[in-house]
Amino acid sequence: MSKKPEKATLTSATIEEQTAAFLKAGGAVEYVGKGKSGQLAPAGPKQITVK
């Protein structure tokens, strides 16, 4: 039997390290107001036709 792969675990320290590296590399964080999706235009409902 093969071993199951271990689940990746994120800790707040790991997230902070990744965020710091992202910002140091020139990345930027865009803040989106509460209640907004950040999308430019809604795509509308997607309808599925079952045949």
Side-chain angles (χ1 to χ4, degrees), residues 1 6-10 13 15 17 23 29 36 40 42 50:
M1 254 170 48
E6 291 185 28
K7 290 184 180 180
T9 56
L10 285 179
I15 294 170
E17 289 171 4
L23 294 173
V29 177
K36 303 207 181 215
L40 299 177
V50 179

Side-chain angles (χ1 to χ4, degrees), residues 3-47:
K3 278 181 131 181
K4 289 184 181 179
E6 291 185 28
K7 290 184 180 180
T9 56
L10 285 179
T11 62
S12 56
T14 304
I15 294 170
E16 285 180 23
E17 289 171 4
Q18 291 175 353
T19 304
F22 172 76
L23 294 173
K24 187 175 182 180
V29 177
E30 179 183 344
Y31 292 94
V32 178
K34 185 175 181 179
K36 303 207 181 215
S37 68
Q39 295 179 351
L40 299 177
K46 294 183 180 180
Q47 305 226 347

